[in-house]
Amino acid sequence: MAIKIFKEKAFSILMQKKVHILIAGWDNDRSIYGCAHLGADKVYVITPKKHGPKDVEEWVSEKSRKCGEIIKKKYSKLFSVNLVPVSYENYADCFRAFMKIIKAEQAEENKVYVNISSGSHVVAAAGIFAASITKCRAYYVIPKYYDPIFKKEDRFISYAGKRVVEIPLLPISFLSSTEIGLLKIISKCGSIAEPDLAKSAESQKLFFRAS
Protein backbone atom coordinates (compact mmCIF):
# COMPACT_ATOMS: atom_id res chain seq x y z
CA MET A 1 0.00 0.00 0.00
CA ALA A 2 2.82 2.38 0.97
CA ILE A 3 4.63 1.67 -2.32
CA LYS A 4 1.45 2.39 -4.28
CA ILE A 5 0.95 5.73 -2.49
CA PHE A 6 4.62 6.62 -3.09
CA LYS A 7 4.32 5.80 -6.81
CA GLU A 8 1.14 7.86 -7.13
CA LYS A 9 2.80 10.80 -5.38
CA ALA A 10 5.92 10.52 -7.53
CA PHE A 11 3.80 10.36 -10.70
CA SER A 12 1.84 13.42 -9.56
CA ILE A 13 5.06 15.39 -9.03
CA LEU A 14 6.39 14.34 -12.44
CA MET A 15 3.14 15.43 -14.10
CA GLN A 16 3.04 18.71 -12.18
CA LYS A 17 3.39 21.72 -14.47
CA LYS A 18 5.18 24.95 -13.65
CA VAL A 19 2.88 27.90 -14.29
CA HIS A 20 3.99 31.55 -14.23
CA ILE A 21 1.74 34.59 -14.03
CA LEU A 22 3.47 37.66 -15.48
CA ILE A 23 2.36 41.29 -15.50
CA ALA A 24 2.76 43.07 -18.83
CA GLY A 25 4.79 46.25 -18.47
CA TRP A 26 7.89 47.76 -19.96
CA ASP A 27 10.31 45.16 -18.59
CA ASN A 28 9.98 42.14 -20.88
CA ASP A 29 13.41 40.74 -19.99
CA ARG A 30 12.57 40.67 -16.27
CA SER A 31 9.10 39.31 -17.01
CA ILE A 32 10.45 36.27 -18.82
CA TYR A 33 13.64 35.76 -16.77
CA GLY A 34 11.92 33.64 -14.10
CA CYS A 35 10.44 31.32 -16.71
CA ALA A 36 13.91 30.57 -18.09
CA HIS A 37 15.59 30.09 -14.71
CA LEU A 38 12.80 28.34 -12.79
CA GLY A 39 11.33 26.42 -15.72
CA ALA A 40 7.90 26.95 -17.26
CA ASP A 41 5.23 24.86 -18.97
CA LYS A 42 2.49 27.47 -19.10
CA VAL A 43 2.44 31.26 -18.81
CA TYR A 44 -0.33 33.76 -18.21
CA VAL A 45 0.36 37.41 -19.02
CA ILE A 46 -1.84 39.97 -17.27
CA THR A 47 -2.40 42.85 -19.71
CA PRO A 48 -4.36 46.14 -19.62
CA LYS A 49 -7.87 46.02 -21.10
CA LYS A 50 -8.50 48.01 -24.24
CA HIS A 51 -10.65 51.09 -23.72
CA GLY A 52 -10.39 50.73 -19.93
CA PRO A 53 -10.63 53.57 -17.36
CA LYS A 54 -9.30 56.90 -18.55
CA ASP A 55 -7.07 57.41 -15.48
CA VAL A 56 -4.05 56.34 -17.52
CA GLU A 57 -3.14 57.73 -20.93
CA GLU A 58 -4.01 55.21 -23.64
CA TRP A 59 -0.50 55.08 -25.11
CA VAL A 60 0.81 53.82 -21.75
CA SER A 61 -1.66 50.91 -21.70
CA GLU A 62 -1.11 50.24 -25.40
CA LYS A 63 2.64 49.92 -24.91
CA SER A 64 2.08 47.44 -22.04
CA ARG A 65 -0.36 45.44 -24.20
CA LYS A 66 2.20 45.27 -27.01
CA CYS A 67 4.83 44.05 -24.54
CA GLY A 68 2.46 41.22 -23.58
CA GLU A 69 1.84 40.40 -27.23
CA ILE A 70 5.61 40.31 -27.88
CA ILE A 71 6.04 37.77 -25.06
CA LYS A 72 3.31 35.58 -26.56
CA LYS A 73 4.70 35.80 -30.10
CA LYS A 74 8.32 35.24 -29.08
CA TYR A 75 7.91 32.47 -26.50
CA SER A 76 4.73 30.56 -27.42
CA LYS A 77 6.87 27.91 -29.16
CA LEU A 78 8.55 27.14 -25.83
CA PHE A 79 5.44 27.06 -23.62
CA SER A 80 1.75 27.92 -23.66
CA VAL A 81 1.15 31.69 -23.34
CA ASN A 82 -2.27 33.15 -22.50
CA LEU A 83 -3.06 36.88 -22.38
CA VAL A 84 -5.45 37.91 -19.58
CA PRO A 85 -6.89 41.44 -19.94
CA VAL A 86 -7.77 43.31 -16.73
CA SER A 87 -8.33 46.90 -15.66
CA TYR A 88 -4.92 47.95 -14.33
CA GLU A 89 -6.46 50.65 -12.11
CA ASN A 90 -9.10 48.33 -10.58
CA TYR A 91 -7.60 46.32 -7.70
CA ALA A 92 -10.62 44.02 -7.37
CA ASP A 93 -10.59 43.16 -11.07
CA CYS A 94 -6.86 42.35 -10.92
CA PHE A 95 -7.26 40.26 -7.75
CA ARG A 96 -10.13 38.24 -9.23
CA ALA A 97 -8.05 37.48 -12.32
CA PHE A 98 -5.11 36.21 -10.24
CA MET A 99 -7.35 34.11 -8.01
CA LYS A 100 -9.18 32.54 -10.96
CA ILE A 101 -5.92 31.51 -12.62
CA ILE A 102 -4.25 30.26 -9.44
CA LYS A 103 -7.27 28.25 -8.24
CA ALA A 104 -7.71 26.61 -11.65
CA GLU A 105 -4.04 25.64 -11.87
CA GLN A 106 -3.82 24.45 -8.27
CA ALA A 107 -6.88 22.29 -8.89
CA GLU A 108 -4.71 20.55 -11.50
CA GLU A 109 -1.97 20.25 -8.83
CA ASN A 110 0.32 22.55 -10.80
CA LYS A 111 2.99 24.76 -9.22
CA VAL A 112 2.16 28.45 -9.61
CA TYR A 113 4.60 31.38 -9.59
CA VAL A 114 3.67 35.08 -9.59
CA ASN A 115 6.24 37.49 -11.07
CA ILE A 116 5.78 41.08 -9.85
CA SER A 117 8.82 42.54 -11.63
CA SER A 118 6.90 44.58 -14.17
CA GLY A 119 3.64 46.40 -14.78
CA SER A 120 1.36 48.43 -12.56
CA HIS A 121 1.94 48.58 -8.79
CA VAL A 122 -1.80 47.99 -8.32
CA VAL A 123 -1.61 44.74 -10.29
CA ALA A 124 1.55 43.68 -8.43
CA ALA A 125 -0.15 44.30 -5.05
CA ALA A 126 -3.13 42.19 -6.13
CA GLY A 127 -0.76 39.44 -7.25
CA ILE A 128 1.09 39.41 -3.90
CA PHE A 129 -2.20 39.25 -1.98
CA ALA A 130 -3.52 36.38 -4.14
CA ALA A 131 -0.21 34.50 -3.85
CA SER A 132 -0.24 34.90 -0.05
CA ILE A 133 -3.79 33.58 0.29
CA THR A 134 -3.26 30.61 -2.02
CA LYS A 135 0.28 29.86 -0.77
CA CYS A 136 1.88 29.86 -4.19
CA ARG A 137 5.30 31.38 -4.90
CA ALA A 138 5.88 35.05 -5.74
CA TYR A 139 9.15 36.53 -6.95
CA TYR A 140 10.82 39.70 -8.19
CA VAL A 141 13.64 39.85 -10.74
CA ILE A 142 16.44 42.38 -10.13
CA PRO A 143 17.44 43.99 -13.45
CA LYS A 144 20.99 43.76 -14.73
CA TYR A 145 20.88 47.45 -15.60
CA TYR A 146 18.44 50.31 -16.22
CA ASP A 147 18.00 52.51 -19.26
CA PRO A 148 20.68 55.25 -18.91
CA ILE A 149 18.16 57.88 -19.99
CA PHE A 150 16.98 57.92 -16.37
CA LYS A 151 20.42 59.06 -15.19
CA LYS A 152 19.28 62.56 -16.08
CA GLU A 153 17.95 64.29 -12.98
CA ASP A 154 15.00 65.78 -14.86
CA ARG A 155 13.77 62.47 -16.34
CA PHE A 156 11.18 60.47 -14.41
CA ILE A 157 8.89 57.55 -15.23
CA SER A 158 5.72 59.56 -14.54
CA TYR A 159 4.62 63.04 -13.52
CA ALA A 160 1.94 64.51 -11.22
CA GLY A 161 -0.96 62.44 -9.80
CA LYS A 162 -4.57 61.73 -10.73
CA ARG A 163 -6.23 59.74 -7.93
CA VAL A 164 -5.54 57.42 -5.01
CA VAL A 165 -6.20 53.66 -5.23
CA GLU A 166 -6.51 52.01 -1.81
CA ILE A 167 -4.68 48.67 -1.44
CA PRO A 168 -6.04 46.06 1.05
CA LEU A 169 -3.48 44.85 3.58
CA LEU A 170 -2.45 41.24 4.14
CA PRO A 171 -4.27 39.59 7.09
CA ILE A 172 -1.29 39.32 9.46
CA SER A 173 -1.66 39.35 13.26
CA PHE A 174 0.93 39.54 16.06
CA LEU A 175 1.73 36.49 18.19
CA SER A 176 0.05 36.31 21.58
CA SER A 177 2.10 36.07 24.79
CA THR A 178 1.07 32.38 25.05
CA GLU A 179 2.30 31.63 21.52
CA ILE A 180 5.59 33.45 22.20
CA GLY A 181 6.01 31.45 25.44
CA LEU A 182 5.43 28.15 23.62
CA LEU A 183 7.97 29.08 20.94
CA LYS A 184 10.55 29.87 23.63
CA ILE A 185 10.04 26.43 25.21
CA ILE A 186 10.39 24.69 21.83
CA SER A 187 13.49 26.75 21.02
CA LYS A 188 15.10 25.84 24.35
CA CYS A 189 14.21 22.12 24.29
CA GLY A 190 14.56 21.48 20.57
CA SER A 191 12.43 18.40 19.92
CA ILE A 192 9.67 18.08 22.52
CA ALA A 193 6.59 15.85 22.69
CA GLU A 194 3.18 17.53 22.83
CA PRO A 195 2.34 16.25 26.38
CA ASP A 196 5.70 17.53 27.68
CA LEU A 197 5.15 20.87 25.96
CA ALA A 198 1.73 21.17 27.62
CA LYS A 199 3.20 20.35 31.08
CA SER A 200 6.02 22.85 30.65
CA ALA A 201 3.59 25.53 29.47
CA GLU A 202 1.30 24.85 32.43
CA SER A 203 4.20 25.08 34.91
CA GLN A 204 5.07 28.48 33.43
CA LYS A 205 1.42 29.51 33.72
CA LEU A 206 1.06 30.08 29.99
CA PHE A 207 -2.44 28.52 30.11
CA PHE A 208 -5.23 29.79 32.28
CA ARG A 209 -8.00 27.48 33.36
CA ALA A 210 -11.46 28.75 34.27
CA SER A 211 -12.32 28.06 37.91
Side-chain angles (χ1 to χ4, degrees), residues 15-209:
M15 295 300 292
Q16 186 182 59
K17 292 182 179 179
K18 290 184 177 181
V19 179
H20 292 252
I21 305 176
L22 316 180
I23 305 171
W26 301 356
D27 300 276
N28 273 13
D29 287 346
R30 286 200 288 164
S31 292
I32 210 69
Y33 185 92
C35 299
H37 286 74
L38 298 173
D41 299 292
K42 185 188 295 187
V43 170
Y44 293 90
V45 185
I46 305 294
T47 62
K49 284 181 178 177
K50 287 187 177 181
H51 311 300
K54 301 301 181 182
D55 287 339
V56 176
E57 294 177 86
E58 181 56 30
W59 70 266
V60 176
S61 296
E62 182 60 27
K63 183 173 180 178
S64 294
R65 277 194 296 274
K66 285 183 178 178
C67 286
E69 290 167 2
I70 289 171
I71 290 174
K72 181 171 183 178
K73 183 177 180 180
K74 190 173 181 179
Y75 297 100
S76 58
K77 291 182 180 179
L78 301 177
F79 38 69
S80 168
V81 181
N82 302 283
L83 302 182
V84 182
V86 301
S87 174
Y88 266 33
E89 295 74 48
N90 187 322
Y91 181 92
D93 189 39
C94 298
F95 178 73
R96 282 192 295 268
F98 276 105
M99 290 298 291
K100 183 178 180 180
I101 295 169
I102 294 171
K103 287 293 187 182
E105 293 298 336
Q106 287 184 336
E108 298 292 326
E109 298 186 353
N110 292 329
K111 194 169 188 177
V112 183
Y113 301 83
V114 176
N115 182 344
I116 62 163
S117 305
S118 185
S120 159
H121 293 313
V122 173
V123 187
I128 283 290
F129 198 17
S132 300
I133 292 173
T134 57
K135 301 186 185 303
C136 63
R137 293 182 63 182
Y139 65 92
Y140 174 86
V141 176
I142 298 173
K144 191 172 183 179
Y145 62 90
Y146 286 94
D147 192 323
I149 192 173
F150 292 108
K151 284 184 178 180
K152 297 181 180 180
E153 293 183 0
D154 62 339
R155 296 303 297 264
F156 302 96
I157 294 175
S158 61
Y159 300 88
K162 204 159 192 177
R163 70 182 176 95
V164 174
V165 177
E166 187 172 350
I167 305 298
L169 301 178
L170 298 176
I172 299 173
S173 61
F174 291 103
L175 294 174
S176 67
S177 58
T178 300
E179 290 169 327
I180 292 173
L182 290 171
L183 288 174
K184 285 182 178 178
I185 295 170
I186 295 170
S187 177
K188 184 178 180 180
C189 299
S191 179
I192 183 171
E194 188 176 331
D196 295 329
L197 177 61
K199 288 179 182 178
S200 183
E202 189 173 356
S203 68
Q204 295 184 31
K205 297 182 179 179
L206 293 180
F207 301 144
F208 298 92
R209 293 180 178 177

